[in-house]
Structures are given as C-alpha cells and as structure tokens.
C-alpha cells in the first residue's frame, strides 16, 4: 500500500539498541533525503530526523538516522519505555513530484 | 512554539465537498522559506500527501487527487484551507495539516523540504 516499506512492528528491551528500516526505490530514497517522524496516536506527529541524519533541536542523540542506496534506517539506542509508539519515514518522490510515506512501525518496549 | 490546528466537519456526505481549515499560531503563515501542506491517512492504510501551498499561493498537488483538490491561504487569518470535491467513502481518513521547513542552504528546492510541524489531525468520515 505505502510507497515506502517499513516493518509493521519492532521491539526491544530497555537500554537496548533497535533499528527500523525504510525501503524505497531510485525515485525516492535513492535520489532524495529521508525524514523520520515519531507519532503518539491522537497527538501531533513529531519530526525526529531530517535530511537522512540530522536531528532537530531538542531531539535526544539516542535517535540517529542513516541512508544507503534505496534504504534508510532509524536507530534508537538506550531504549526507554517512553519510546514505545509509532515511527514513520518519508521522502520526496521524483515520479510523484511529491512526498511519500512509509506504512509506519509500531515499536514495543518489552 | 508553532502550533497547527485542523478544524471542520467530521462527517461529509458522498458527492459533497470536504472542507478543512488549518489555523497556525506561534508563527506567521507569510514567513518566507516555509510551505504548508495537507496529508491524510485512511483507516488501516498508509499516509498520503495531498498537496502543498506557499503563502504567495503557489500550489502543488498529488496527481491522484489533483482534479478534486484546492488548497488556499488566508494570510489575514493566518490560516490555510483544503477543499476536496466529489468525496466518496475512500476519502474517509484522518487529515493532518503541517508546515514544511528546510535546512539553511537547502531552501532552493521544494524536494529538500520536510514536514517539521504537524497538527494533531482530524477524522473526516464520508457517509450518508
């Protein structure tokens, strides 16, 4: 359904490092930057990472982003219980001439 | 702190026009280097970009919705609006408004912008 592919779920224990993948194509991730969002349902989504690996001010350095080819990843180190929520990736798509999103990954902290 | 708030009817009849407004507070909608956009997420489906506008009223729409969408700006009220015509049940979704920002040195191309502030979203149901 979504242009960018994310695993529907991910999990980890407190203190652990988890990664969430986002797979696309040459028209989106392969040629444009990737952004990541954290979303607690019912609230406004929050920008977590922009331009592949940049953190807005106020975002802890536990969150990091990377990109390689047509895939990107969000890494969360030192996992905390308050990190349990949904995460989305997004990128510009040259074919659409607009933004496309991943289907979202629900992170569970065990 | 910039805040965006969506408002509008939560129920729209099939074939009618969906109308939503996004009120921006804590910042001016006329600020240069910012665009404003709408995104939606149907129940159980992924997010979809609807369209984007600059305060000077340059607009960009998702080709799949372009024939039915209109986004406008009211700088006097610090608001921007979405109109989606001829709606069907497939248009039932949570609709979000958002600001698009850019990094210093990257504001020359729309594709380098990213959604940096969002509203909390509003559910619009299309049903008779």
């Amino acid at each position: 359904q979504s242009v960018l592919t994310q695993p529907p779920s991910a999990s980890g224990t407190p203190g652990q490092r988890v990664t969430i993948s986002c797979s696309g194509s040459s028209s989106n991730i392969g040629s444009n930057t990737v952004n990541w969002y954290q979303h607690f349902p019912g609230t406004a989504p929050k920008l977590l990472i922009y331009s592949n690996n940049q953190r807005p001010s106020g975002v802890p350095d536990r969150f990091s982003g990377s990109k390689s080819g047509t895939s990107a990843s969000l890494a969360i180190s030192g996992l905390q219980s308050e990190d349990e929520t949904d995460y989305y990736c997004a990128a510009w798509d040259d074919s659409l001439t607009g933004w496309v999103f991943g289907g979202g990954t629900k992170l569970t902290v065990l | 702190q910039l805040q965006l708030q969506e408002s509008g009817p939560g129920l729209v009849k099939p074939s009618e026009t969906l109308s939503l407004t996004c009120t921006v507070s804590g910042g001016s909608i006329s600020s240069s280097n910012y665009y404003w956009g709408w995104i939606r997420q149907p129940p159980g489906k992924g997010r979809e970009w609807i369209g984007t506008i600059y305060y000077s009223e340059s607009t960009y729409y998702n080709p799949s919705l372009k024939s039915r969408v209109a986004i406008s700006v009211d700088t006097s009220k610090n608001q921007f609006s979405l109109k989606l015509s001829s709606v069907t049940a497939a248009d039932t979704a949570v609709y979000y408004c958002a600001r698009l920002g850019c990094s210093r040195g990257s504001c020359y191309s729309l594709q380098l912008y990213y959604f940096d502030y969002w509203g909390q979203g509003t559910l619009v149901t299309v049903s008779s």
Side-chain angles (χ1 to χ4, degrees):
Chain A
Q1 294 181 6
S2 298
V3 175
L4 305 181
T5 301
Q6 296 181 238
S9 63
S11 63
T13 56
Q16 197 174 22
R17 181 178 186 270
V18 297
T19 61
I20 296 172
S21 62
C22 176
S23 178
S25 68
S26 58
S27 66
N28 41 67
I29 294 178
S31 52
N32 295 289
T33 57
V34 178
N35 311 303
W36 290 90
Y37 301 90
Q38 179 188 58
H39 186 206
F40 292 92
T43 71
K46 174 185 176 182
L47 177 65
L48 214 53
I49 297 288
Y50 66 94
S51 300
N52 300 328
N53 54 19
Q54 302 299 302
R55 282 186 308 275
S57 60
V59 173
D61 59 7
R62 302 188 296 107
F63 295 91
S64 62
S66 63
K67 188 186 96 166
S68 178
T70 59
S71 293
S73 293
L74 172 70
I76 309 172
S77 59
L79 198 61
Q80 300 179 3
S81 58
E82 54 260 41
D83 298 332
E84 183 169 294
T85 191
D86 301 322
Y87 295 85
Y88 293 84
C89 59
W92 175 272
D93 189 286
D94 293 333
S95 298
L96 175 68
T97 56
W99 290 269
V100 291
F101 294 87
T105 298
K106 183 175 182 57
L107 175 65
T108 300
V109 180
L110 302 170
Chain B
Q1 175 79 352
L2 190 77
Q3 291 188 316
L4 296 89
Q5 180 66 57
E6 306 88 351
S7 60
L11 181 64
V12 181
K13 290 182 168 55
S15 80
E16 295 189 344
T17 296
L18 178 159
S19 296
L20 295 174
T21 296
C22 182
T23 300
V24 178
S25 58
S28 173
I29 203 168
S30 302
S31 298
S32 58
N33 289 339
Y34 294 117
Y35 287 76
W36 307 89
W38 289 95
I39 303 100
R40 70 179 183 178
Q41 184 169 21
K45 297 187 177 182
R47 296 185 180 198
E48 179 181 40
W49 168 70
I50 299 172
T52 291
I53 189 167
Y54 192 57
Y55 78 94
S56 63
E57 305 209 30
S58 299
T59 52
Y60 310 83
Y61 298 132
N62 188 320
S64 69
L65 298 169
K66 188 173 183 177
S67 64
R68 300 193 291 129
V69 173
I71 297 177
S72 59
V73 164
D74 186 336
T75 54
S76 66
K77 295 181 179 179
N78 223 35
Q79 297 175 333
F80 63 105
S81 299
L82 168 70
K83 290 189 184 300
L84 181 65
S85 63
S86 305
V87 297
T88 68
D91 295 309
T92 294
V94 175
Y95 286 77
Y96 298 91
C97 61
R99 188 184 80 170
L100 287 140
C102 58
S103 305
R104 187 167 47 189
S106 301
C107 300
Y108 57 87
S109 174
L110 186 57
Q111 68 192 86
L112 295 176
Y113 281 70
Y114 44 85
F115 299 100
D116 57 357
Y117 285 94
W118 296 64
Q120 64 183 27
T122 187
L123 174 63
V124 179
T125 301
V126 179
S127 175
S128 55

